[in-house]
Amino acid sequence: RVARAVAMSVAIDAKAFVGGSTRATALARPRRACRAVRASPSCCRASIGRTESDDETKATPSRRDALLGLVSVVAGVVTTTPSEANASLKLTPTGLDESRRFFQTFPPLWEPYFGWGERITIKRELVPDTIWSLEQEQALGVLAMNIRCTVVKLKSTDGLVVFSPQAPTKEFFTLLDELGSVEHVVLPTYAIEHKVWLPALSRRYKAAKIWVADGLWSVPLNLPNEFLGIKPSGVLVPSNVDRLFPHTEKNNETETRKENPQPPWLDELEYKVLRVDTAGTNPYIETVFLHKASRSLLLTDLVFSIPTDPPEVIDRNRLLNLAPNDPKDAPAPLTTENLRAGWAKASLVVSFLGPKGQTQITEGEFKGKLLWEDGWEGSFGKIENRLLPSPILRTLVFSKGKGPTKRFLDELEGDWGGKFDQIIPQHYDAPVLGTAADVRNAFSFLEASDFLTGLSTLGSELPVEEMGTLLKVNDALEFVGLGRGSE
């Protein structure tokens, strides 16, 4: 089903669209090229052995195409019924809290896919009078995770730096305004859930300067930032690039170097950029920041820590509906144990797409619901309360770009080793105790001889039995020419 869903996805040529015509091409089925991750239908046949010289001359579908394909994939793997409270399509705001409603104009992989939605925003102080978290729930049916907008107060101006704004509700803006004046907004990553709301924030805070990671791209069409309502004051570039003059422009065969302003707060917040180009023709990009005064590492998706207890912003009804192993017993009574059970199952699905102990009921009253086997507790126990990269990114990005990822970790440890002792990701728990060495240890799988061995490498272990669906997704993407990697 997964392979069929991916093969049916359509790649839209952005250049053809901008030129006046839209060309939609069904993805071809070239032979597998990437052996960075290889899985059999039974789950765990894996090897790493591709080098940069192995690249084929055929055109490689882009990461935008891969994202379009993944929408179909996850729709086939995570088959749950959307809740009534968060409908997948709502064209009127009827019945929604006016302070918490928003309008979704782009169809992403969470609810609502289009139209009106509702999100609660919870403010938490992470570092006294310095760093805050504005958290919302990102949901897909009964599954959910928290997503965080991190806000830092500058010591030099008392102004705010806002990282990855979230859904533009009245409640969100009220809580943000309580913290001070928004002077800067940062878009640190390519990931859609962290950047889709930036235009709304930039329209509200017109005087704020916008800083974005260089090389960001959009789906389904790769349009210029300005077209998307984003007008950057400057771009954030990797350390091996001249920050002030990262690009040259040609005009009548004459090359000129265009100056690239940098944020005025670099003495308080340094940055580094991870860029992986070898997991597709569009790069994985993430900017991380060192807040010197609080000894904090601010990041987006590089690593996270899943807590035992669900974050406050997560809808308890979702968790109680997911808590029982058999859906006929849902919803479960409101107890701490049941909330933890629902949260654990939601986290396993978000991490692995389709855990081993989960099956879909195919007929009867509960058709489409999830049936769980005993044993999921042990799998969750292996991933909770520890620093780890997302298993999805580990499989589809980092294992296909071992070279650039290891060089970035070398730089992080060499330049910032001993300079931070807590980490603030944009998902799950925060702040999390951790140093540069701890981040490096979470990526110890990069030193393994092959992917399967990496799953049991000390410091970056994952439950092998839960990797089946994720590796099948990887196989399906490779089968249609997506996600080709290299060392």
Side-chain angles (χ1 to χ4, degrees):
R1 183 175 68 245
V2 170
R4 190 163 59 248
V6 177
M8 290 173 63
S9 66
V10 175
I12 299 180
D13 188 322
K15 293 182 179 178
F17 179 88
V18 174
S21 62
T22 303
R23 187 176 74 245
T25 6
L27 299 179
R29 296 173 55 182
R31 70 174 180 85
R32 294 181 195 224
C34 177
R35 292 181 294 276
V37 180
R38 177 75 62 82
S40 69
S42 59
C43 167
C44 292
R45 182 179 77 255
S47 63
I48 295 179
R50 181 173 170 77
T51 63
E52 306 227 359
S53 61
D54 293 330
D55 291 337
E56 296 186 31
T57 58
K58 293 183 179 180
T60 305
S62 68
R63 190 183 299 278
R64 293 190 303 277
D65 306 333
L67 285 174
L68 291 171
L70 274 174
V71 170
S72 299
V73 170
V74 180
V77 174
V78 186
T79 50
T80 57
T81 304
S83 65
E84 294 181 1
N86 217 353
S88 57
L89 179 63
K90 189 174 180 65
L91 300 181
T92 64
T94 306
L96 301 181
D97 187 328
E98 185 178 354
S99 68
R100 292 172 171 172
R101 71 189 188 194
F102 62 95
F103 192 84
Q104 174 70 278
T105 57
F106 181 85
L109 190 58
W110 63 82
E111 300 171 356
Y113 305 121
F114 179 81
W116 288 95
E118 187 177 62
R119 280 189 181 184
I120 295 173
T121 305
I122 291 179
K123 179 175 68 177
R124 295 198 300 123
E125 187 177 60
L126 305 183
V127 175
D129 199 37
T130 304
I131 302 179
W132 296 266
S133 170
L134 297 180
E135 296 183 27
Q136 296 180 352
E137 181 185 46
Q138 182 175 321
L140 176 63
V142 297
L143 306 182
M145 67 190 306
N146 62 320
I147 186 165
R148 176 176 295 114
C149 167
T150 308
V151 183
V152 176
K153 179 184 288 187
L154 294 174
K155 185 177 181 180
S156 56
T157 67
D158 274 343
L160 303 179
V161 183
V162 180
F163 297 83
S164 302
Q166 284 304 300
T169 66
K170 289 183 180 180
E171 183 176 51
F172 175 86
F173 287 131
T174 298
L175 294 173
L176 179 57
D177 290 339
E178 289 175 357
L179 301 177
S181 175
V182 175
E183 294 183 351
H184 303 271
V185 183
V186 178
L187 181 55
T189 180
Y190 79 99
I192 184 173
E193 67 270 24
H194 298 285
K195 70 182 182 182
V196 70
W197 309 114
L198 177 59
L201 198 82
S202 64
R203 287 192 297 270
R204 180 179 176 90
Y205 303 103
K206 292 181 170 54
K209 295 186 179 297
I210 310 296
W211 310 95
V212 305
D214 190 29
L216 293 185
W217 44 274
S218 62
V219 294
L221 303 177
N222 192 18
L223 301 172
N225 284 323
E226 291 77 6
F227 189 89
L228 302 172
I230 303 171
K231 298 179 180 179
S233 300
V235 297
L236 309 175
V237 298
S239 300
N240 61 348
V241 177
D242 186 341
R243 287 185 172 181
L244 291 180
F245 298 97
H247 303 297
T248 58
E249 293 185 353
K250 286 188 177 182
N251 186 16
N252 295 328
E253 299 184 356
T254 301
E255 288 190 357
T256 58
R257 303 184 71 191
K258 184 178 180 180
E259 186 172 355
N260 175 45
Q262 288 292 284
W265 33 259
L266 292 182
D267 57 334
E268 298 183 48
L269 275 164
E270 293 183 16
Y271 76 83
K272 294 185 181 297
V273 178
L274 168 62
R275 179 175 175 130
V276 178
D277 290 289
T278 52
T281 57
N282 292 109
Y284 172 89
I285 301 170
E286 180 171 345
T287 312
V288 303
F289 299 84
L290 173 66
H291 185 253
K292 299 178 183 179
S294 66
R295 296 179 58 84
S296 302
L297 179 69
L298 278 57
L299 47 81
T300 307
D301 295 319
L302 186 69
V303 291
F304 55 60
S305 177
I306 304 175
T308 300
D309 292 299
E312 182 182 355
V313 75
I314 302 299
D315 183 353
R316 270 37 189 172
N317 289 327
R318 295 183 190 278
L319 303 182
L320 296 176
N321 275 297
L322 194 57
N325 284 354
D326 193 323
K328 68 180 177 58
D329 299 323
L334 178 57
T335 66
T336 298
E337 181 182 1
N338 286 334
L339 290 175
R340 287 179 173 176
W343 172 245
K345 292 176 180 178
S347 300
L348 285 170
V349 177
V350 170
S351 296
F352 299 104
L353 297 185
K356 180 182 178 182
Q358 168 206 292
T359 57
Q360 180 188 7
I361 297 175
T362 58
E363 58 184 18
E365 180 183 355
F366 299 99
K367 181 179 180 179
K369 300 289 187 177
L370 300 179
L371 186 68
W372 290 79
E373 300 174 2
D374 290 333
W376 55 265
E377 301 94 336
S379 293
F380 182 68
K382 294 177 183 179
I383 64 172
E384 67 176 326
N385 296 318
R386 50 174 287 221
L387 205 62
L388 74 161
S390 158
I392 296 175
L393 291 179
R394 170 173 171 164
T395 304
L396 303 180
V397 176
F398 302 132
S399 290
K400 299 172 184 294
K402 297 174 70 175
T405 304
K406 288 195 286 188
R407 288 190 290 273
F408 173 81
L409 295 172
D410 288 342
E411 183 183 336
L412 188 75
E413 196 168 17
D415 294 347
W416 292 354
K419 294 186 178 181
F420 66 87
D421 42 40
Q422 67 175 7
I423 300 170
I424 301 176
Q426 291 187 355
H427 293 290
Y428 296 115
D429 210 358
V432 180
L433 294 179
T435 64
D438 293 325
V439 175
R440 185 60 180 262
N441 191 48
F443 282 82
S444 60
F445 64 89
L446 295 174
E447 306 299 334
S449 58
D450 58 73
F451 188 84
L452 184 56
T453 301
L455 294 176
S456 58
T457 300
L458 185 63
S460 61
E461 306 95 331
L462 285 180
V464 178
E465 65 274 11
E466 302 295 353
M467 293 294 292
T469 300
L470 182 54
L471 293 181
K472 289 176 186 177
V473 169
N474 178 79
D475 256 11
L477 293 176
E478 289 185 8
F479 185 71
V480 295
L482 303 176
R484 301 175 181 180
S486 73
E487 292 296 301

